[in-house]
Amino acid sequence: MKKKKKVGVRELYNKDSLKANKELWGEQESDFSRRGFLSSSALLAMGTLLGGKIVFGENMPSDLIPAGLKDSDKEFSIPGKSGDLIILNDKPWNAETPPHLLDDKVTPSDIMFVRNNGVPPENINVSTWKLTIEGESAETTKSYTIAELKSKFNQYTYKLTLECGGNGRSEFNPVAKGNQWTLGAVGCSAWTGVRLKDVLDDVGVKSNAVYIGYYGADTHLSGDHNKVVISRGVPIAKAMEEEGLIAWSLNGEDIPVMNGYPLRLVIGGWPASVSGKWLTKIAIRDKVHDGPKMDGYSYRVPKYPVAPGTKVPEEDMKIIESMPVKSLITFPKSGAIVKGNRSFEVRGHAWAGDLTVNEMYVSIDFGATWKKCSLEKPANRLAWQHWKIQVNLPEEGYYEIWSKAVDSEGKAQPLIVPGWNPKGYLNNASHRIACKRIDV
Ligand SMILES: Nc1nc2c(c(=O)[nH]1)N[C@H]1C(S)=C(S)[C@@H](COP(=O)(O)O)O[C@H]1N2
Ligand SMILES: [Mo]
């Protein structure tokens, strides 16, 4: 028997979105009367599959995979087409959090995402765990047990947004290698510890200090204990901010082992890769820290915009600093069905790296019009902000709800995937969820 090749919707769109429209929805080249938009027959076919008319479909760009389809891993058959088409569930093994589970203002510890580059330490002894501060720009070298940190310094609790620099990578085309994160490599939990700044001051920071770099107790995947898994850091000014913590507690309890127990660095607003887990050492450097994953293409983006797929010379890459403005819709869950003509709450969080979010909007008509949401102030600097709005879907059919945050410098989230870069960092595109109104 001949084995049929199964092709997923995402794969089709990634190859050639016009061809995908033709194959999936019977769209003909000549149907593209308004370039970039779907014809009414294609919209009808798509609506059948989604189970309802796509209201505002005339605004829907033709190269978008409807949000109601792309996050589903169900097999479905397309009317008049091969039933072998499969929606690819483009999540390889990685521990990210589905957006609707991030609905709490403070992300619960057990659902916070996990991103390990190596193997976490085993047989951890909290009472003998030591943190050493040293380096060219340290006045001296000092070591502290966790008990000493607790007794010697003031303790602080901050809610800090941690987002992996590669969150959203799965949307880049051509594909960027690495964990294919979709939306959920982010969280904002309450961290308790001592200020990094207070500890650095206790050791003494020389005036020529440029950067700090962390070291953790995890083991390199090769099993070679002499190899450092990851050792990143931040400029001294960022390290001296009040919210930078050496933390032993997450949401009032021990940090889960996967998130860095018994001690970790927590630096909000920058890619979470600067927040070293299983922290054993901090170096105060007289130059930009040069540990593994500081160099080459790691956590770096081109200094100038490049066309997708461009081979960018290494010297034209720059280190990612503050993360860009972004938002998540955490309620309702994508795919929600609204029965009848009623208004319902749409809500979520928004954050903007070192900045704050000034305005928050949602659209139910593919970005043609935007409604302003109510937006809370952050619990503290570098914590995400909560927003909500009442939404009413004007008639029966399929909708998408899009969210857009604007930061305190007036920069808005892009509606489509922004600046392609070799490693697929910083995708802060609008979050889109699917929503259907059914009148009964
Ligand atoms: N020691 C150590 N620290 C680390 C990492 C790691 O692999 N080892 N991963 C980094 C990366 S890339 C990210 S995104 C965050 C993830 O933190 P989490 O797993 O607690 O969510 O930790 C950072 N700190
Ligand atoms: Mo990361």
Side-chain angles (χ1 to χ4, degrees), residues 8 19 39 86-87 106 176 181 255 300 336 393 404:
K19 194 160 159 247
S39 71
I86 294 170
I87 295 175
V106 178
W181 302 107
I255 300 169
R300 288 178 183 237
L393 306 176
K404 181 175 74 175

Side-chain angles (χ1 to χ4, degrees), residues 19-33:
K19 194 160 159 247
N21 280 328
K22 213 164 122 189
E23 292 193 5
L24 290 167
W25 324 114
E27 185 72 297
Q28 297 301 314
E29 231 87 37
S30 58
D31 287 343
F32 288 90
S33 41

